Amino acid sequence: MARRARGGSAELEALDLGHLALFVGMRVNALVLEQVHAAGFPGLRQGHGYVVQHLLEAPRTISELAELLGVTQQAASKTVAELRELGIVEPAPSDDARTRRIRLSERGHAAVDTTRDLRAELETRFRRAQGARVIDETRRVLAAVLESLGGAETVRRRRVREPR
C-alpha cells in the first residue's frame, strides 16, 4: 500500500511497480491519443488498438477477431463498424465469397505510422530527460518483470486483450 502524504495524496515513489507502470502507460496512451486526434484521426480510441493489432498481421474475419479479442461476434462487429466509419479498415478480397475479411486501409496504416511516430517522439523525450541508460535499464527491468509474471508471450504474439 502506498504511503500517504498530507491531504491523502499518494507518494509516487511509494506506489507498487504494477500501479506505477500502469499509470505511466495510461498517461502515455492519453497523450498519444490526443496527438493522434490532432494529427487528423479524430474518433479513434484506445480500444480500437486491440482490433488493429490483429489486422497488422493479416486480414481477418469478424469471427477470428472476436476469438482473438475474447469478445462476442457482436462486440467485434460493432468495433469493426466504428473503424470502418473512421476509414481505418476496409473489406479485403477473399478466395471464398462467403467469407468476408477486414483489413487495414491506407488510412489505417497511416494512423498506425502516426501512432508509432508519436510514441518514438515521447521515447526521445524520455531519453533526453532521464538519460538513455536509465530508459534502457527501465525497459529491461519491466520486460523481465513481465516475463516473470507470465505475460510476455501474450505481448509477443500480439494477443493482449482490452481490460474489462
Side-chain angles (χ1 to χ4, degrees), residues 6-140:
R6 287 186 212 177
S9 63
E11 294 178 32
L12 295 180
E13 292 172 4
L15 293 173
D16 67 80
L17 184 64
H19 277 112
L20 198 53
L22 172 67
F23 298 147
V24 168
M26 288 170 61
R27 184 62 185 141
V28 166
N29 288 343
L31 288 171
V32 169
L33 200 54
E34 286 172 21
Q35 293 174 352
V36 164
H37 291 165
F41 300 98
L44 282 177
R45 56 184 177 80
Q46 186 174 334
H48 291 144
Y50 294 96
V51 172
V52 170
Q53 74 173 336
H54 298 299
L55 296 176
L56 288 169
E57 298 170 341
R60 305 276 188 188
T61 65
I62 297 292
S63 297
E64 291 169 334
L65 286 170
E67 184 177 329
L68 290 165
L69 295 166
V71 299
T72 64
Q73 286 188 7
Q74 293 85 349
S77 184
K78 179 182 176 194
T79 303
V80 166
E82 292 170 359
L83 288 167
R84 189 177 294 141
E85 191 170 309
L86 294 169
I88 302 299
V89 300
E90 63 189 12
S94 178
D95 295 338
D96 183 348
R98 297 169 296 175
T99 303
R100 289 198 239 157
R101 296 192 175 281
I102 307 295
R103 69 178 176 196
L104 286 177
S105 65
E106 188 173 314
R107 179 172 169 73
H109 284 288
V112 169
D113 291 345
T114 298
T115 300
R116 288 177 175 168
D117 290 346
L118 291 167
R119 288 183 177 282
E121 288 173 19
L122 282 172
E123 175 85 10
T124 298
R125 175 178 156 188
F126 302 152
R127 293 175 84 76
R128 272 194 220 114
Q130 277 73 45
R133 184 176 295 144
V134 169
I135 296 302
D136 292 343
E137 183 60 21
T138 301
R139 180 177 287 106
R140 278 191 290 276

